[in-house]
Amino acid sequence: MRPPRLPAWTATLTWKAAVFIAVMCCALAALLGVLVHVSVTSQTVDDSREKALARLAEVSGLYEAGEPLPRFAGVDPPGLPASLRALAARGERGTTVADDRGRPTMWAAGPADGHALAVRVDYTQSAETIEALDRSIVGSSVLAIGATLLVGAFAVTRVTRRLHLTAQVARRISAGDLDARVDDPRTKDPSRPQDEVATVSGALDTMASSLQRKLQSEQRFTADVAHELRTPLTGLSAAAELLPEGRPSELVRDRVRAMRGLTEDLLEISRLDARNETVDLAVHELGPLAERVVRASGTETEVRVLRDATVETDRRRLERVLGNLVANAHRHGAPPVVVTVDGPVVSVRDHGPGYPGYLLESGPQRFRTESGGKGHGLGLTIAVGQAEVIGAELVFTRPGEGAGAEARLRLPEYVRLADEDAGTED
């Protein structure tokens, strides 16, 4: 049987710091309380013992002189503790605290002709003083622990709040927001002392700035290369059309078309990397749209509409995503290729060797393919980028060993309002 799982908040730094502070405060309060209690109790008992022994000496003088004893003294008085009676029988003197008719009493006894001569001193006030002291120690300890917890929680919360902000910025950067920064004021003034959180925040901001400059440089390089290639490729394409018909001419035209496609893909990727794409949303029926994409691909692809759905999306971008998925399935997979529409989810499945491991773990990578076929790894990269632009979720899976590859695209489903349905019926 598994032990019960602790709530997630018990793993937070605030909770751990609060528990640590509480334990340390309790331990310190207990230690100081014990020391004060022992010290005061010992002093109070010593004072009462000295008082009782002094009275015993006075009473012993009266007993030896044959004078009557006071009310607080007697020979073998009732209520005398047995331990003191035995001590007096051995010829020794001693004291002890015991109850006498329900009241705390300090007894002192000594030998007297084979009997025990004893005196008693009221210990009630001393016992009440010790009890009041114990209550004061407990009350002050509770107040001190509560105040320390509040101050400690405030101090720890300030640190954890900064750590949470740093973690949020790190997540935003990992999600693609390269403009996100912590901007801790402690890192802006070099003369100001920095704690460990400020050091981490400054390192994160420096890393983000460096990463942003590097990615922007790569994006500009990709865009510049693609733009520079368009002009010579246009001339080369026109020149290839003037070549006489034949196998060499077909090879040249094929390579020119491949180069032009690669250039257009690079331009599209550079636009997606810039994250300034605008979306033209409209309402579409997903089943007919998928069938139109398959017809335009000119491939032998089966379309299955299990449950049609209405989606609000950018038709051109969605067709681009589905077209790339279908083309990739035919290029790197094996027939039959099936496109299935099940509500707002479109899946494209082939029966080839399946997606490589790196793609399932970290997504498609540019200019990397392990299937041995033609391609530069840009088709799926573009599909992922366009899916993100239209707010869709694209997931790559391997249904089973040797069962091919499957890409599932989940689109935001369009929900008709009640007044729209009523207007349609009218």
Side-chain angles (χ1 to χ4, degrees):
M1 182 178 179
R2 288 186 176 182
R5 189 173 182 180
L6 296 176
W9 55 267
T10 58
T12 61
L13 183 60
T14 303
W15 164 254
K16 294 179 179 178
V19 171
F20 175 77
I21 293 174
V23 171
M24 293 302 297
C25 287
C26 291
L28 181 60
L31 177 61
L32 293 177
V34 169
L35 291 177
V36 172
H37 173 82
V38 170
S39 176
V40 173
T41 301
S42 176
Q43 183 178 357
T44 303
V45 171
D46 289 343
D47 292 341
S48 297
R49 180 180 290 111
E50 291 178 0
K51 184 177 180 180
L53 290 175
R55 285 189 176 184
L56 179 62
E58 295 175 0
V59 170
S60 296
L62 295 175
Y63 177 79
E64 292 174 357
E67 297 183 5
L69 301 178
R71 291 181 304 169
F72 57 82
V75 178
D76 292 332
L80 179 65
S83 58
L84 276 183
R85 194 182 301 274
L87 192 67
R90 294 196 301 268
E92 299 177 3
R93 289 186 175 188
T95 60
T96 187
V97 177
D99 286 341
D100 182 27
R101 287 167 291 190
R103 302 185 64 179
T105 303
M106 172 66 76
W107 289 92
D113 298 331
H115 297 281
L117 177 63
V119 298
R120 58 182 179 272
V121 177
D122 189 11
Y123 195 72
T124 302
Q125 185 176 359
S126 299
E128 291 177 351
T129 301
I130 295 175
E131 291 179 359
L133 175 65
D134 291 341
R135 288 193 297 270
S136 299
I137 291 175
V138 173
S140 60
S141 299
V142 172
L143 290 177
I145 291 173
T148 306
L149 276 177
L150 290 177
V151 175
F154 174 75
V156 173
T157 302
R158 291 190 62 186
V159 175
T160 55
R161 187 183 301 115
R162 293 165 59 198
L163 288 174
H164 283 307
L165 176 60
T166 303
Q168 290 175 1
V169 172
R171 283 192 289 267
R172 288 172 56 190
I173 293 174
S174 64
D177 184 7
L178 299 181
D179 294 324
R181 298 291 185 274
V182 180
D183 288 331
D184 194 320
R186 296 167 181 79
T187 62
K188 296 181 179 180
D189 188 2
S191 62
R192 187 174 182 180
Q194 297 183 9
D195 56 10
E196 289 78 1
V197 180
T199 303
V200 173
S201 301
L204 179 64
D205 287 347
T206 302
M207 180 197 70
S209 299
S210 176
L211 179 63
Q212 185 178 34
R213 287 193 299 268
K214 181 178 180 181
L215 291 179
Q216 288 177 346
S217 176
E218 292 180 354
Q219 292 169 8
R220 285 194 299 269
F221 175 77
T222 302
D224 293 343
V225 168
H227 278 291
E228 292 298 327
L229 285 176
R230 295 185 77 178
T231 300
L233 280 176
T234 302
L236 185 60
S237 178
E241 296 297 331
L242 300 177
L243 294 176
E245 294 297 330
R247 180 60 178 168
S249 301
E250 293 178 1
L251 293 176
V252 171
R253 295 191 187 101
D254 178 69
R255 292 299 87 196
V256 170
R257 283 193 296 270
M259 285 290 294
R260 292 189 64 177
L262 176 60
T263 303
E264 296 299 328
D265 287 346
L266 289 174
L267 284 173
E268 186 170 357
I269 287 178
S270 65
R271 289 193 298 268
L272 292 173
D273 288 340
R275 295 183 179 273
N276 54 8
E277 295 285 282
T278 57
V279 183
D280 183 16
L281 295 178
V283 179
H284 301 279
E285 297 296 326
L286 190 55
L289 191 147
E291 293 174 349
R292 185 165 57 251
V293 170
V294 170
R295 287 196 303 269
S297 68
T299 59
E300 294 183 1
T301 303
E302 180 183 357
V303 180
R304 299 174 183 173
V305 181
L306 303 180
R307 181 170 60 91
D308 203 355
T310 303
V311 295
E312 186 176 14
T313 186
D314 188 322
R315 181 181 60 83
R316 181 184 64 83
R317 297 183 187 278
L318 178 56
E319 290 179 349
R320 176 69 160 153
V321 174
L322 295 179
N324 281 14
L325 293 178
V326 171
N328 182 81
H330 283 280
R331 182 180 297 116
H332 301 288
V337 177
V338 181
V339 176
T340 304
V341 178
D342 187 3
V345 179
V346 183
S347 61
V348 179
R349 179 177 177 181
D350 63 69
H351 292 74
Y355 292 119
Y358 78 87
L359 191 147
L360 297 176
E361 293 177 1
S362 56
Q365 300 179 14
R366 304 171 189 182
F367 299 103
R368 180 175 180 181
T369 176
E370 296 181 358
S371 62
K374 298 179 180 179
H376 303 88
L378 300 181
L380 294 183
T381 303
I382 293 174
V384 171
Q386 294 289 9
E388 182 179 352
V389 171
I390 62 177
E393 179 187 8
L394 181 57
V395 179
F396 301 97
T397 63
R398 185 182 294 169
E401 195 67 31
E406 182 178 20
R408 287 198 302 269
L409 181 69
R410 180 178 293 276
L411 295 156
E413 190 169 5
Y414 178 73
V415 179
R416 296 185 183 275
L417 300 178
D419 54 353
E420 291 184 1
D421 293 339
T424 303
E425 292 177 2
D426 292 343

